[in-house]
Amino acid sequence: TATTRGGIWFDDPIRDAVGVNDPDAFRMWKAAGDWPYRVAMGWSLVDVFTAGAVHGNWDTAFQMLMIDLEAFAISGAVIWTSQYFVRRERPIVRHCAPGDPIGDQIDCSGGPGDNRSFIGGHVALTTTAAALTCLHHEKLPLYGGGIADTAACATWIAAAGTVFVSRTVLEKHYVTDNLLGAGLGVFSGYVVPKLLHYGFGTPDGDEDAETEIVFDGTPRLLGPSFTPL
């Protein structure tokens, strides 16, 4: 049973302005948001594999994997806790009214999934993956440095933005749910690992850094420092 219903602040005006009412548009936006979400966490493994198999530094690969798991664990714990206890009704439930053209595209059985609007889980997890990608490529020349590593970050920022728009126009979440989800992703995927493992304000190549990662043929860069509990 939902304990919270309806939007706050600008939620309802944005929902009314951007929510899709056409079944074809609904299916298009669903596909556009589902694919980046499904690929996001898997792509983090591609970067881990690149550090180990391509650059031959499996220690760095292991550290990256542990950092990624830590970040996703933080996001996942917050998502589950907030959705379980807040139980905010999804805005899309309004389309279960008789005769609504979107009603055929969604589950109107009244299950517990209808009350998991707060916070936006898809956005949070995809943003976590994007933030991790940007952080790792900021510090490590996984794709050789320069534009290739910058492009990896930009691509996943765009993917997270696509998921944000998709989940908003599909009315799976209110826009405030997705804003908080995006904030969670940045916090768990960028702020926490940079604070704990990469260090804030430490320049690349600092000779005093505790951990330095060397990739063949590239300058020496500061790498992550992860000590499992």
Side-chain angles (χ1 to χ4, degrees):
T1 303
T3 58
T4 305
R5 289 184 173 88
I8 60 173
W9 301 332
F10 40 79
D11 278 336
D12 291 332
I14 290 179
R15 179 202 62 189
D16 294 339
V18 305
V20 295
N21 293 297
D22 177 71
D24 291 335
F26 186 93
R27 288 189 291 269
M28 181 196 73
W29 277 110
K30 188 176 186 304
D34 283 351
W35 280 108
Y37 169 73
R38 291 170 180 168
V39 174
M41 287 179 281
W43 193 261
S44 296
L45 294 178
V46 171
D47 281 348
V48 169
F49 182 80
T50 299
V54 176
H55 295 288
N57 198 323
W58 288 104
D59 177 65
T60 298
F62 174 76
Q63 292 183 55
M64 289 173 60
L65 178 61
M66 292 298 101
I67 290 169
D68 291 353
L69 291 175
E70 178 186 60
F72 284 119
I74 293 171
S75 288
V78 175
I79 292 166
W80 184 88
T81 302
S82 64
Q83 291 186 351
Y84 181 83
F85 287 102
V86 175
R87 297 202 297 274
R88 187 185 195 188
E89 187 178 75
R90 295 184 188 272
I92 199 172
V93 171
R94 68 173 181 157
H95 288 292
C96 288
D100 192 301
I102 300 300
D104 293 336
Q105 307 296 318
I106 60 178
D107 180 7
C108 289
S109 61
D114 289 348
N115 305 320
R116 294 177 180 170
S117 186
F118 181 87
I119 60 176
H122 280 59
V123 172
L125 292 175
T126 311
T127 305
T128 300
L132 286 166
T133 299
C134 291
L135 179 58
H136 290 321
H137 286 269
E138 173 188 323
K139 291 295 186 178
L140 303 171
L142 295 169
Y143 298 169
I147 191 171
D149 286 281
T150 301
C153 173
T155 297
W156 281 105
I157 289 175
T162 301
V163 174
F164 185 105
V165 174
S166 170
R167 301 299 284 182
T168 303
V169 301
L170 293 176
E171 301 182 51
K172 294 289 189 177
H173 303 275
Y174 290 100
V175 70
T176 52
D177 299 323
N178 286 329
L179 286 171
L180 286 171
L184 171 62
V186 171
F187 175 76
S188 59
Y190 191 91
V191 175
V192 170
K194 189 162 188 177
L195 180 63
L196 296 182
H197 309 302
Y198 280 103
F200 275 104
T202 304
D204 292 344
D206 187 343
E207 294 296 332
D208 295 327
E210 293 184 2
T211 304
E212 290 180 338
I213 302 303
V214 181
F215 285 153
D216 293 338
T218 65
R220 184 163 54 188
L221 299 179
L222 179 67
S225 176
F226 189 92
T227 302
L229 297 178

